[in-house]
Amino acid sequence: MFENQNSALNHLTYQNNHMQKYTSPVIIVEPEASIHDTLLQMQTNFIKRIVVASKNKPVGIVTERDINKFLEQDKTAKALDEIPIKHVMKKDPIVVQDMVDDHLEQCATRMETFNIGSVILVNDSGDLIGIVTKTDITKAYSKIYGGQYKVKNYMTKKLITCRKTDSLIFALNMINKNNISRLIVTDNKGKHEGIITTNNFLTHSDYFSKGTTRTRDYLLPLKSQNLQVKDLLTEDLITIEEEEDLAKAATLMIKNKISGIPVVDGKKSLVGVIDKSDIVRAFNYVKKDKELSQKYGDLY
């Protein structure tokens, strides 16, 4: 931990405005909607997950990764517009009642405990009224908990990378094999040059624009065999130093609409990555650490 003169004031402001909502717009589909319809909603609304609801009651939730895993295991020849999303969704989604005072803390705890990216908000009748995502927790952390931790306290040191000259098919296989959302991209000498994510694949896919609904390779451009990772990279790479405030990393993620940032040391060498899951984990511990610090002082 390190000192911040405004941290106490920030925490007090948070307590006084505790019911302020950090929630994302809820995009829903019916259980009978097809995988194609669901993917189209994801692409149109720039989201990674959709609530499946029936008569305004949440019955499931599905992510782009869930769809990808399902298609890897499904041996039928059905096209994406022929498979109902109810066969893909995760049933009995995790919910929190909206009127609970500490709903943000409860959502963050459930995200870490169950390794999920969102928690659904319901009213006392069980009706769907909102959703809290890792993005919402990250936004809340950036506004509330400046000065609590450094990036190095929560960054992930294990790095999974690919080269910019690798094929798109290789990169997507690496993402799926390691159950992750992004790869750090390096040149042939190991210098970091960018990040490629599942969003990059979905954004550049020909699946929707070319009307190729019979294919199941919805993440890959039609000419993907001839494309390399560098073909989907943007020139701007955002990094953050390991000694920076974790709240700054959270702010960068929200401002630039990204979910992970490569971490460098003072010599600009790559030492890790910080993402929204790490921010959620920090959000879970910050109050406990404050209480221990106040109780034990310098001994903690």
Side-chain angles (χ1 to χ4, degrees):
M1 281 188 200
F2 57 111
E3 296 295 326
N4 185 322
Q5 296 178 350
N6 294 323
S7 61
L9 178 60
N10 290 340
H11 187 63
L12 179 60
T13 301
Y14 169 63
Q15 293 290 351
N16 291 338
N17 298 281
H18 198 70
M19 293 308 293
Q20 180 181 0
K21 304 303 181 188
Y22 293 92
T23 60
S24 296
V26 185
I27 308 298
I28 66 172
V29 294
E30 294 284 337
E32 295 300 328
S34 68
I35 290 179
H36 170 77
D37 294 334
T38 305
L39 285 170
L40 185 60
Q41 288 285 356
M42 288 182 179
Q43 186 201 46
T44 302
N45 294 282
F46 303 101
I47 55 177
K48 296 180 179 180
R49 61 189 49 79
I50 286 184
V51 177
V52 183
S54 178
K55 297 180 180 179
N56 207 35
K57 303 287 187 183
V59 296
I61 193 164
V62 63
T63 67
E64 190 280 324
R65 188 180 295 173
D66 294 330
I67 293 173
N68 205 17
K69 285 184 177 179
F70 174 86
L71 293 176
E72 284 183 344
Q73 299 172 1
D74 180 53
K75 303 303 181 183
T76 70
K78 290 183 178 180
L80 302 192
D81 55 359
E82 298 174 328
I83 306 174
I85 202 64
K86 65 182 181 182
H87 296 318
V88 185
M89 71 181 189
K90 293 178 180 176
K91 299 179 181 179
D92 302 320
I94 305 298
V95 302
V96 165
Q97 282 200 8
D98 182 56
M99 294 306 294
V100 175
D101 285 345
D102 61 345
H103 74 278
L104 275 184
E105 286 81 3
Q106 290 208 24
C107 288
T109 298
R110 283 162 172 74
M111 286 180 194
E112 184 178 15
T113 301
F114 296 103
N115 191 28
I116 54 178
S118 61
V119 174
I120 296 172
L121 296 181
V122 297
N123 60 20
D124 54 5
S125 298
D127 293 323
L128 173 67
I129 58 175
I131 186 171
V132 175
T133 68
K134 288 180 181 179
T135 298
D136 301 314
I137 299 297
T138 300
K139 180 188 291 185
Y141 186 94
S142 71
K143 294 180 179 295
I144 299 167
Y145 291 128
Q148 297 304 308
Y149 303 116
K150 294 183 180 182
V151 169
K152 68 180 182 180
N153 298 137
Y154 280 90
M155 71 180 188
T156 300
K157 294 182 179 180
K158 181 181 178 181
L159 297 173
I160 300 177
T161 66
C162 68
R163 294 174 298 179
K164 65 179 182 179
T165 53
D166 286 331
S167 70
L168 287 183
I169 295 175
F170 173 83
L172 184 57
N173 287 339
M174 285 287 289
I175 287 174
N176 293 336
K177 179 181 178 181
N178 291 281
N179 197 29
I180 55 178
S181 299
R182 73 190 62 81
L183 294 171
I184 294 178
V185 182
T186 69
D187 61 17
N188 291 333
K189 295 182 179 180
K191 180 182 178 182
H192 52 280
E193 294 201 351
I195 289 181
I196 189 167
T197 70
T198 52
N199 278 352
N200 293 129
F201 284 98
L202 192 60
T203 301
H204 290 84
S205 171
D206 296 324
Y207 178 80
F208 301 101
S209 61
K210 301 294 179 62
T212 54
T213 57
R214 297 303 304 179
T215 181
R216 290 158 66 106
D217 291 329
Y218 68 92
L219 281 178
L220 290 171
L222 294 179
K223 298 180 180 179
S224 58
Q225 293 87 347
N226 301 320
L227 295 178
Q228 296 179 332
V229 170
K230 64 182 179 182
D231 295 316
L232 296 193
L233 290 184
T234 57
E235 293 183 1
D236 297 329
L237 173 64
I238 298 172
T239 62
I240 191 166
E241 290 196 6
E242 59 182 341
E243 295 293 335
E244 286 282 6
D245 187 350
L246 185 61
K248 180 179 178 180
T251 299
L252 285 173
M253 292 179 200
I254 298 301
K255 180 180 178 181
N256 294 280
K257 297 181 180 180
I258 55 179
S259 58
I261 305 174
V263 181
V264 297
D265 60 18
K267 297 180 180 179
K268 304 302 179 183
S269 297
L270 188 64
V271 293
V273 63
I274 191 80
D275 63 18
K276 289 177 181 176
S277 294
D278 301 317
I279 304 296
V280 169
R281 187 158 51 94
F283 195 99
N284 275 328
Y285 284 100
V286 66
K287 277 192 173 182
K288 182 189 299 184
D289 285 348
K290 274 177 169 288
E291 292 171 357
L292 289 172
S293 180
Q294 291 171 357
K295 183 175 180 180
Y296 296 106
D298 294 338
L299 294 177
Y300 176 64

